[in-house]
Amino acid sequence: MAAFEYEELDEKLSEIRLVRLCLTDVFTDDIELELFRISLSDLNHEPYVPLSYTWGTPYLGLPPDWDDPKQTRTVSLNGKSFQIRLNLESALRHIRGVKKNDVPLWIDAICIDQMNIPERNSQVLLMRQIYEGGSYTIIWLGPAQEGSKLALYKIEEVANARRERFFDLLAKDRMAGLVSIIEAVGTDSQCWLAIRQVLSCCWWSRAWVFQEAVVSSHAVLLCGFDAASICDVMETLMLMSDMATEQADNASYITGNVIINQAWVLENAMSLLSLWRAYGDTSHDAPAVDLRDALFFIRRLDATNARDKIYAALGLVKGGSAIVPDYSLSVGEVYRSFARQYIEEHNTLDLLEECSLTADDIVSWAPNYSRKIYGHTLEKNGERDGSVRLYNASRGKPAKFSFSDDSKTLTLVGCYPDTIAAAGTKWEFVNPRNVVDAMYKKQFLASGRSPSEINVTLGPTLAHWKELIVTYGREWDRGNLDLSYESLTQIRYLHANDDLKSAFDKTLCADVKWISNPDPMKSAQHVRLSTGENVAFEPINWETGEMKKEFKFAMKERIFFITRGGYIGLAPEAAEEGDVVCVVLGGQVPYLIRPKKNGHYLFVGECYVHGLMDGQALQGYDEGSLEEIILD
């Protein structure tokens, strides 16, 4: 059989291809497909079903061939031979077994000529329309695995129970409402472990699936021949998320701990839930998802092509984006072009908060989206609805910036308050998923404890930070070697109205405390300690090792530092002695930069500096006395 060859699409007509799967009652029959072209304007008269799936293995435990792009199967496409990978072959065989009609499918690996870069560029721009316009979307999670039938049945049961008892969640005792739902559906560990297994499939870790799931009018998850509605999945995730959140402040409740333990490990599924809520479920009437927020979620996901960390987010932005996919550009060029365009379009430097110094061939002032991060920006520690800003390092002054003609340098305007003199050792954040995986059966089920109760021992790292702040206090107390950590309350911090211990405590949580929201359906409110009632707050109990959630949130992927002038703060893990603290016009927070021999700087990342978060660095400056800061 001759090999299939694509015919060119008519870009002026916004043509796409659809593929019709020939039905048969025998699972092992050869797969026969019919491919045809159609313009987007004609799709209103042609029902079709997009497929969302992973190109590689759908879940761990399958043979290595499933993840090998060279391992393919031959199918018939318009009477010619065509190669597809193993997971897609499995999907087509199972879909053929459950489909009752010949409604065509849209499948990227077949409907887009993957070897034609100009076609890929243009078709990527249409993907949101394709998934929005489908009758529904099939989300293929892979062939049936142990417990998957039970999991999909349980997901429907949980979703129905949550809907029936929704108003219980609006009651004053919200935790009791959650427990009543859980007691109605049961806490059998095997059921919830099965749900965890289905919601941990590789599909949940891929960058493109967020767009495909969120913009679809409806979606059905298919695992083998068993199915569940995406709406039911979201209801289940909401219950698990709410239980994990409420448990942090309601330690007396132990009912439902098995659910809480599962919620901790479903990091990617919970991210999709957050984006689903932001997008507005299936109503599509919610406020637009900001591209930066979409990238925050997608950055933690996997993409075979690093360019797709940007391109996969474009379809999530209502109203579209001016960014045009171009797979002929290098990854560094794509990220640099995006960063410049975003900064110029929004006239803001907020994107710099996403940057961290890496060794890759990417300018330091552009976020490296190919690098997964699990921490949050300092402003992300607040409420990101645009109405709340925690910090105001530049006193509300507008951004002033310029780019070189070749887009390789970014010039800012600001001042240099200080330089790092000592940097603390970095600590390894223990992902709760790994904790649960290692200890779940032995510890949690036996004790009824939640991962939120585990005190991760930071040992030498915290000891080093504590040693740094005590040494700092001794130096400012005329070399008093008898000064202890507890005695730091007797030493004034030079740059704020705090004693040194209070300044240290506030620094370790970025000066933020979380308080309960009076609206039970909304997340906790985040407030500044220094600008509020200025009450004492200890992020760490040094005797028991218990750490407050504010500390865990602020310190993830950051280290403690002290400057030559006596400032203390938090900086990215890449920070080192000699890095310069700067405050620039338009910057919500101070930045850390590293001098280069050519007089330019590398952007290390954002930083928290106690005493510089509210415009103090720019007091007494006029714009004419500020300096240009050139970033490579």
Side-chain angles (χ1 to χ4, degrees), residues 158-171:
V158 172
N160 289 334
R162 187 177 186 276
R163 294 187 189 103
E164 292 170 1
R165 294 170 172 78
F166 177 76
F167 289 101
D168 291 346
L169 303 180
L170 303 180

Side-chain angles (χ1 to χ4, degrees), residues 466-475 477 479-491 499-501 504 542:
K466 196 172 181 180
E467 179 185 349
L468 284 177
I469 196 65
V470 171
T471 302
Y472 170 102
R474 289 170 177 171
E475 291 176 352
D477 193 31
N480 180 6
L481 298 180
D482 294 327
L483 187 74
S484 65
Y485 176 75
E486 290 72 20
S487 302
L488 294 180
T489 55
Q490 303 171 18
I491 308 296
D499 61 70
L500 192 53
K501 184 179 182 301
F504 184 55
W542 294 96

Side-chain angles (χ1 to χ4, degrees), residues 31-260:
I31 295 174
E32 296 184 6
L33 305 168
E34 297 175 0
L35 191 69
F36 62 96
R37 296 183 300 174
I38 187 171
S39 68
L40 281 179
S41 60
D42 292 331
L43 283 181
N44 293 331
H45 311 292
E46 178 72 54
Y48 67 97
V49 177
L51 177 65
S52 178
Y53 68 107
T54 63
W55 282 30
T57 186
Y59 49 78
L60 301 180
L62 291 171
D65 286 359
W66 285 70
D67 233 7
D68 186 351
K70 296 180 180 179
Q71 297 297 321
T72 59
R73 297 290 184 267
T74 301
V75 298
S76 172
L77 184 60
N78 291 358
K80 304 291 181 64
S81 66
F82 188 82
Q83 303 301 312
I84 61 174
R85 293 183 61 177
L86 274 61
N87 191 36
L88 178 53
E89 182 211 22
S90 179
L92 291 174
R93 292 192 182 281
H94 284 85
I95 292 171
R96 190 172 61 180
V98 297
K99 273 175 65 72
K100 305 302 181 184
N101 53 54
D102 63 349
V103 171
L105 305 169
W106 186 88
I107 305 170
D108 58 355
I110 299 174
C111 297
I112 300 176
D113 182 357
Q114 299 294 329
M115 303 305 294
N116 185 334
I117 289 181
E119 180 176 308
R120 284 170 60 192
N121 293 341
S122 61
Q123 290 287 291
V124 163
L125 287 173
L126 303 177
M127 285 183 64
R128 171 179 171 149
Q129 293 173 260
I130 292 170
Y131 278 90
E132 273 187 330
S135 302
Y136 62 95
T137 295
I138 295 176
I139 295 173
W140 172 248
L141 299 182
Q145 51 182 319
E146 184 180 357
S148 58
K149 178 184 283 290
L150 172 64
L152 297 177
Y153 170 79
K154 191 70 175 181
I155 283 172
E156 181 180 2
E157 183 183 352
V158 172
N160 289 334
R162 187 177 186 276
R163 294 187 189 103
E164 292 170 1
R165 294 170 172 78
F166 177 76
F167 289 101
D168 291 346
L169 303 180
L170 303 180
K172 187 174 181 180
D173 189 351
R174 189 163 184 242
M175 190 64 174
L178 290 167
V179 169
S180 72
I181 296 173
I182 291 166
E183 289 176 343
V185 298
T187 58
D188 179 68
S189 62
Q190 293 306 311
C191 290
W192 290 98
L193 284 169
I195 290 176
R196 167 192 167 184
Q197 185 167 291
V198 166
L199 300 185
S200 300
C201 290
C202 296
W203 181 86
W204 301 92
S205 68
R206 305 301 299 178
W208 279 108
V209 305
F210 272 37
Q211 172 184 280
E212 296 164 3
V214 170
V215 306
S216 297
S217 59
H218 182 56
V220 174
L221 281 73
L222 188 63
C223 189
F225 293 113
D226 301 302
S229 162
I230 188 70
C231 295
D232 287 352
V233 172
M234 291 301 136
E235 289 280 352
T236 301
L237 286 171
M238 287 178 198
L239 176 68
M240 298 169 76
S241 174
D242 291 344
M243 279 297 299
T245 300
E246 289 295 317
Q247 178 71 5
D249 299 316
N250 295 273
S252 60
Y253 285 98
I254 60 171
T255 301
N257 269 350
V258 64
I259 294 93
I260 297 166

